[in-house]
Amino acid sequence: CMVCRRRTWQHLLRDKMLGKAVCVWFAWLAGVVAVHTNPCCTPPAVSASCWFRENGGKGHDAIQSAVNCPGAAHVTVDHIGTPWVLDVGINLNASNQVVLLQPGVVLQARRGAFQSGVLISVDNVDNLTLSGYGATLQMWKVDYANRTKYNHSEWRHAISITSARTITVEGLTAMSSGGDGINIGGNQGDIHTCKSTGMLCDSENIIIRACNFTDNYRNAMSVTGVVNLVVEDTLLARTGGTCCMSGVDLEPEINERHISNVTFRNCTFEHNAMTQVTMSLGAQQNHTSDVLFDGCTIRNSPAAGVWILGVGPSAPKGVLEFRTTFIGNTSDFGVRIDKTAATGATVKLTDTVLEDVAYKGHWPLLIQSGGVVFDNLTIVDRSKRERAWVEAGWRTADPVVDVSGTVTVWSPTGTCRDTFNKTRGDQAEVDVICKKLTTFIAPP
């Protein structure tokens, strides 16, 4: 700051803090003038293509410059006929902004880049929409899994939302990342502050709509901390590479994280390398409450369809419900409920169908401790093996309690049985209707 060094200013600079403030102010002013004199910065509507032409075709610099344009309320990334190749990720760091990827746009990680980092980050902003119907975020999972090219990492996500509020992501395909298709949680740097102050450090009011998360490395979607999340009309599929390889993994990291008021509506979970829906909720006695899967399809799993574990005696609370959901063609359990206590959150299966699950063994349904309600559950078991429709108390001597509702079981023999054990102290009031399976059409 040359002006700060002029002798005529010395009497104002006896206080070093004032001198530093003057320098910072002049630097800021120079930056503002430079931005507003850039012909590409034309708020409120800005096009990244203008910067792309100005900077010689550097994809990251063009999009980031458009996002950073002061006052840009609407940023458009146009289809330029070839992928926008990114050497580093884009940081959507402006609140009150819409970023529109036009149909046909591909934001593509450069091969050999991304030794760390994510493709798109949304960190600590408010009121942002990322819209990309017909657009694709593409990374290179096959390269990241090659230890001769990259160090192992689970965090090269396609999209990362951390400690952000009122965020919508819609229409995008996010594929072949080196981590999650999308990761939603709180900023790791805030954890100690959360512990000491009790402040909410999760993301809030998130909508994911009509997206396709496929062929990602860890999970199609990981949720580690969120309050008010809606995921609708979205495909979460073909994840494989490193644990947990689920369609979605709801797993809060620490006590201070929340998984609260979460809804998946009309979503499909399929062909993921392990369990399709994983809820590991209570190892840290977190604040989970009310998770709903409504009208979803969970199918084609080499492991279980749904795995719920870690529900302790006092937390999490609320209801974990599957409503009008189809679960089918799973190698292992259709639904595996490894709760450590019957109290805590209630698991509810409402108007839900389990069809041809556990085809390699075990049982269609596992209940370890209890706290389960069947509200018109239908099980279709075409297996010729004589087996129970539910395994109660697997690998535990503790009684299974607080199990109730109505279950209809279709089987080749028209008979059905369970493994509830009154001698052990099991308490189950389940009305089971057994029907012989000839030609079966799943109820609506």
Side-chain angles (χ1 to χ4, degrees), residues 16 37 48 63 104 115-116 142 144 148 167 174 203 211 260 302 315 326 330 353 362 367 395 417 426-427:
K16 293 182 180 179
T37 56
I63 298 172
Q115 294 294 327
S116 62
V142 65
Y144 310 139
T148 66
I167 308 297
S203 290
C211 289
S260 296
F326 173 85
T330 67
V353 175
H362 290 144
I367 303 174
R395 295 178 177 175
R417 61 185 179 88
D426 290 0
Q427 299 174 10

Side-chain angles (χ1 to χ4, degrees), residues 150-190:
Y150 286 84
N151 292 328
H152 174 73
S153 172
E154 304 173 12
W155 303 284
R156 296 183 183 95
H157 310 313
I159 303 172
S160 176
I161 300 174
T162 56
S163 300
R165 296 152 296 278
T166 315
I167 308 297
T168 298
V169 178
E170 59 183 11
L172 281 167
T173 293
M175 60 182 294
S176 303
S177 75
D180 302 328
I182 185 168
N183 183 284
I184 303 169
N187 194 312
Q188 292 282 0
D190 293 337

Side-chain angles (χ1 to χ4, degrees), residues 13 97 129 244 288 295 319 355 362 373 444:
L13 298 178
Q97 190 175 78
T129 295
C244 292
T288 300
V319 178
E355 183 172 350
H362 290 144
V373 176

